[in-house]
Amino acid sequence: MKSAIAITNRSLHDQVASRIRDLIIEGTLEPGSRIDEAHLIEELGVSRTPFREALRTLAAEGLVIVRPSKGSIVRKLTRDQVFSMLEVLGNLEKLGGELACERASDEEIEALIDLHKHMMDCYRMRDRMPYYKMNQEFHSRLAELSKNETLQETQANIQARLKRIRYIGNQEPDSWAGAVADHEEMVRALKNRDGMALGEAMANHLKKTWDRVKDSI
């Protein structure tokens, strides 16, 4: 019987990276743990080459540390590292929200609001991983609407390294409900093209994220 996490299209290393990334985000592969390559290659049903390419992709994202001849490990962030990244990300997304309200087209804003609605559908069903992935996409697309390439690149870099941290921020019902309330506030400001309100909502959301995750690091 084929494993439940087996890869159906073995030619694409990005699919392998996506599966391993999910295992890291969900905590199946724990921070600081050594990655058992032989076991995962068998479980995923892939050859060594796409698996190694996937690890290099995840290393570039900051999720994995590849150690030649010693094996790869899941990166474990310290509390100070997480705080500093969230601090920078909060201010970055504050600026992104302000610029998005100035520069995004009506169609772009409507598309982002539509994504938020789908995200809320996942929340009502308590479907956590799809909600999480749409949440990540929401923040990425909002950064894109700033039309500032440097902001987008920096936001993407930090967000990639915080994937597991952002996921555990929604592990408790009250924390998840709080994050949803934050997003409702963001969308209200976005609909009104109120850049100052959206910027403050983004910054406050990242401050609250630290409060939600600090005891789990």
Short mmCIF file of all heavy atoms in Angstrom, two decimals, residues 45 47 58 96 107 206 211:
data_model
loop_
_atom_site.label_atom_id
_atom_site.label_comp_id
_atom_site.label_asym_id
_atom_site.label_seq_id
_atom_site.Cartn_x
_atom_site.Cartn_y
_atom_site.Cartn_z
N GLY A 45 8.24 8.40 -1.73
CA GLY A 45 8.26 7.66 -3.00
C GLY A 45 9.00 8.37 -4.09
O GLY A 45 8.57 8.40 -5.25
N SER A 47 13.13 9.68 -5.70
CA SER A 47 14.54 9.33 -5.73
C SER A 47 15.35 10.36 -4.96
O SER A 47 14.83 11.40 -4.55
CB SER A 47 15.03 9.25 -7.18
OG SER A 47 14.96 10.53 -7.79
N LEU A 58 14.56 24.39 0.53
CA LEU A 58 14.14 24.71 1.89
C LEU A 58 15.26 25.37 2.68
O LEU A 58 15.00 26.20 3.56
CB LEU A 58 13.67 23.44 2.59
CG LEU A 58 12.43 22.78 1.96
CD1 LEU A 58 12.13 21.46 2.64
CD2 LEU A 58 11.23 23.69 2.01
N GLY A 96 3.77 48.36 3.90
CA GLY A 96 3.12 47.70 2.77
C GLY A 96 1.64 47.99 2.72
O GLY A 96 1.09 48.24 1.64
N GLU A 107 -9.52 46.30 -8.77
CA GLU A 107 -9.59 44.87 -9.06
C GLU A 107 -8.65 44.07 -8.15
O GLU A 107 -9.01 42.99 -7.67
CB GLU A 107 -9.24 44.61 -10.53
CG GLU A 107 -10.26 45.12 -11.54
CD GLU A 107 -10.20 46.63 -11.75
OE1 GLU A 107 -9.20 47.26 -11.33
OE2 GLU A 107 -11.16 47.17 -12.32
N LEU A 206 1.21 41.76 13.95
CA LEU A 206 2.51 41.11 14.15
C LEU A 206 2.96 41.19 15.61
O LEU A 206 3.60 40.27 16.12
CB LEU A 206 3.55 41.72 13.23
CG LEU A 206 3.69 41.10 11.82
CD1 LEU A 206 4.12 39.65 11.92
CD2 LEU A 206 2.39 41.18 11.03
N ASP A 211 3.05 37.64 20.97
CA ASP A 211 2.40 37.24 22.22
C ASP A 211 1.82 35.83 22.12
O ASP A 211 1.80 35.07 23.10
CB ASP A 211 1.29 38.22 22.59
CG ASP A 211 1.83 39.59 22.99
OD1 ASP A 211 2.97 39.65 23.49
OD2 ASP A 211 1.11 40.59 22.79
#
